[in-house]
Structures are given as C-alpha cells and as structure tokens.
Amino acid sequence: MSVASLERVSVTPDDLTITPRDRRFGREERTPRWWLNNSPYETALYNALSATFPKGEAYFIESIRAFREAADDKLLGEIKAFTTQEVIHSREHSAFNKRAVEAGYDLSSLERTVDESLALLKGRPAILDLAATMALEHFTAIIAHELLANPRHLANADPATADLWRWHAVEEIEHKGVAYDTWLAATKDWSRWKRWKLKSLLMVLVTRNFVQHRTQGVLELLRQDGITGLRAWVGALWVMWGRPGIFRKVGKAWFQYFLPRFHPWNEDDRALIRGWDATYDYRQEPPRKRVRSAA
Ligand SMILES: [Fe+2]
Ligand SMILES: [Fe+2]
C-alpha cells in the first residue's frame, strides 16, 4: 500500500493536538471507601478498572513504541504525546489505587490477573501486542466517550475522584487514533483481509478476557465488602450491563471496530474534550514539575 492510500485510511483530524495535562488528583484527601454514589457495586467497577491501568498502560506504551520506525513525523509526535499522557495516567491511577488500599481494599489479586494476561503475549510477535493495544485503546476511548457524554455514570461521586476519571477520559479520546494509526503504518504492506483478520481476532480475544477478568475483579472487591453469592453476581452484572450499564451502552461503538472502513476518528467527539477544558479551571492547580516524556 502506498503512502497516499495509507493517508486515505487514517482520518485523524489534521488539526488534532494531543496535549498532556499534567494534573494530580486527590492527594490531600482520604477517598471514601465507597466513593461512587455510596455504592459498593458502582465503586467496585471503577476500582477494578483502575487496578489494571498502571501495568496496562505501560504495556500500551511499549507496544506502540516498538513500531516507531514505521511512523512519519506527525505520527511520531503523536506517539510522544500519547506516551506522556499514559505515563501521567499511570502515576495518577497508582495514587488512586493506593487510596483504595488505604480505604481497605486489597487489589493484589486483580493486579496478578493483569500480569497473567500480559504473560500470555510474552515472546509472541510484537504486532500482536500492537493489535491487542489497539483493541484496548478502542475500549478505553468508547468508555471514555460514554463517561463524559452521560453524567449519570459519575453522579454523586467523590469530586476529586470524578475529576480524575473525567480528565483521564478526555485524554483517552484525544489520543484514541494513535494505536490505530501506528497499526496502519506498521501493516501498510498487508492486504486489507489480513489486517482485518488479525485486528478482529485480537478484539474478540481481548474482549473475552476483559469482560471475564473485570467481572472477576468486581466480584472479588464485593467479596471484600462482605457481598457474595447471588447478591454479588446480580449487583455486579446490573451495574455493568443494566443501570448505569456502561458496557451495554458502548456495545454499538464496540461493534463498529469490525466494519471495513472503521477508524477511531470516524466519530469526531472533540466537543467532549472542549467541554471539559472549558469547565475545568487549570489555574487552580499549583505549578508542578514537568513529567519527562519517555519517547
Ligand atoms: Fe490512559
Ligand atoms: Fe490510552
């Protein structure tokens, strides 16, 4: 495939700027144990997601950076900004996870599950890591979109923690095309069928793992709250798939990944980013030491 036809498949907006917003959240406070809607179920879902982020995001960075040689200058700049954003996300979610531990949760078995999933890909071709990262970045982007578009998800949350999740969602939307464009560059000589086959296969495997492991994680955290058996299952499934039902709500966007002309930027949802940037007063933040980009 020529460079010209590669450009045709990437629809990342020319005027997109990926801006790392080096922010810190909730450092001076104790996060309530049930920080979301005073609900162990809703809290467990987000805590289970956050437990996976520090290791997961480090894996995304490595997977994408392994294909830097395939990128042009524009994409290289985006990979650099992506890396900086993900490094800061990891830092903030590590701090958040520490507060969850201080609130009484033990996240070690959830973190072990991430290690086991990553071990499955060890020693395999790097393109599989990139395809898995691309699938998970699609997941995070569509969940981020839903989180910002529908205030119900973070209603009655601890304010600093809600800010953490919204900030993270903004940046996930902003860099949602980076893994995909890196994939397009890395597989530019592949046939469309070969590309579709591998990216779809990895999406199916990643989805199965994601749903299974996050459900286990939620059940484990509920167990630590003394909620077990049928009550735990019904409550966990209801939060994920019923109401607010964030996984159900992203179903259509998830499926679009398999369509022939899919690209994360087929939907330009930067209005959600502008909405947050306009309402959040960055000037309230004291100046911080800049995070060095690893790129
Ligand atoms: Fe992130
Ligand atoms: Fe990301």
Side-chain angles (χ1 to χ4, degrees):
M1 185 182 280
S2 69
V3 172
S5 57
L6 173 64
E7 278 164 7
R8 271 207 306 278
V9 280
S10 171
V11 297
T12 298
D14 286 337
D15 61 343
L16 174 76
T17 320
I18 300 175
T19 312
R21 298 160 183 78
D22 188 2
R23 295 276 330 282
R24 286 168 196 260
F25 299 88
R27 293 292 206 280
E28 284 85 38
E29 67 164 32
R30 267 185 93 83
T31 303
R33 183 176 173 101
W34 298 342
W35 60 266
L36 181 50
N37 211 14
N38 199 30
S39 158
Y41 302 97
E42 290 182 50
T43 300
L45 172 57
Y46 289 87
N47 284 6
L49 288 170
S50 183
T52 70
F53 287 163
K55 282 180 178 164
E57 295 190 313
Y59 169 73
F60 297 167
I61 291 168
E62 290 311 311
S63 304
I64 289 178
R65 282 163 52 84
F67 288 93
R68 267 179 304 175
E69 304 79 57
D72 62 15
D73 285 349
K74 178 177 185 285
L75 184 54
L76 269 180
E78 288 172 358
I79 292 173
K80 193 171 177 202
F82 161 90
T83 300
T84 308
Q85 285 189 336
E86 295 291 30
V87 165
I88 302 172
H89 298 171
S90 290
R91 181 194 74 197
E92 287 312 300
H93 279 274
S94 295
F96 170 76
N97 294 345
K98 222 172 120 209
R99 293 197 294 280
V101 170
E102 281 161 11
Y105 289 114
D106 177 3
L107 303 180
S108 53
S109 72
L110 284 73
E111 288 163 352
R112 236 181 355 258
T113 305
V114 180
D115 290 335
E116 286 162 11
S117 295
L118 296 180
L120 288 176
L121 283 160
K122 228 182 169 82
R124 308 218 181 212
I127 197 72
L128 295 182
D129 293 316
L130 183 59
T133 295
M134 182 169 67
L136 285 161
E137 279 286 288
H138 180 56
F139 250 105
T140 51
I142 60 180
I143 288 175
H145 176 110
E146 176 61 27
L147 209 61
L148 291 173
N150 185 350
R152 166 66 188 89
H153 296 294
L154 291 171
N156 303 316
D158 167 60
T161 310
D163 275 346
L164 162 70
W165 283 91
R166 290 197 190 100
W167 159 84
H168 192 169
V170 159
E171 296 199 341
E172 286 303 322
I173 291 175
E174 202 168 63
H175 72 225
K176 66 178 177 175
V178 175
Y180 208 88
D181 286 342
T182 306
W183 158 265
L184 291 178
T187 62
K188 61 180 184 295
D189 297 326
W190 291 24
S191 68
R192 289 184 65 184
W193 165 240
K194 188 178 172 191
R195 272 179 170 169
W196 185 85
K197 220 170 39 178
L198 191 65
K199 83 166 203 183
S200 301
L201 176 68
L202 263 292
M203 180 49 116
V204 169
L205 294 174
V206 156
T207 301
R208 195 197 60 185
N209 251 26
F210 181 90
V211 171
Q212 184 191 336
H213 291 157
R214 291 313 75 77
T215 306
Q216 283 169 358
V218 170
L219 291 171
E220 166 59 18
L221 295 176
L222 290 174
R223 187 192 65 74
Q224 295 178 22
D225 277 320
I227 303 167
T228 55
L230 190 62
R231 195 174 145 227
W233 271 100
V234 170
L237 293 176
W238 183 246
V239 162
M240 291 187 285
W241 299 96
R243 264 172 214 281
I246 197 158
F247 292 166
R248 171 176 56 82
K249 291 199 164 132
V250 301
K252 195 172 149 208
W254 175 85
F255 179 74
Q256 281 167 352
Y257 193 79
F258 298 94
L259 298 179
R261 297 237 168 248
F262 171 80
H263 186 280
W265 282 110
N266 284 349
E267 178 171 17
D268 187 346
D269 48 359
R270 284 179 290 170
L272 293 170
I273 301 176
R274 288 191 290 270
W276 160 260
D277 279 340
T279 56
Y280 196 83
D281 188 357
Y282 289 98
R283 289 164 306 173
Q284 288 175 352
E285 295 297 309
R288 301 284 182 190
K289 229 176 96 203
R290 287 179 67 81
V291 169
R292 264 186 61 236
S293 164

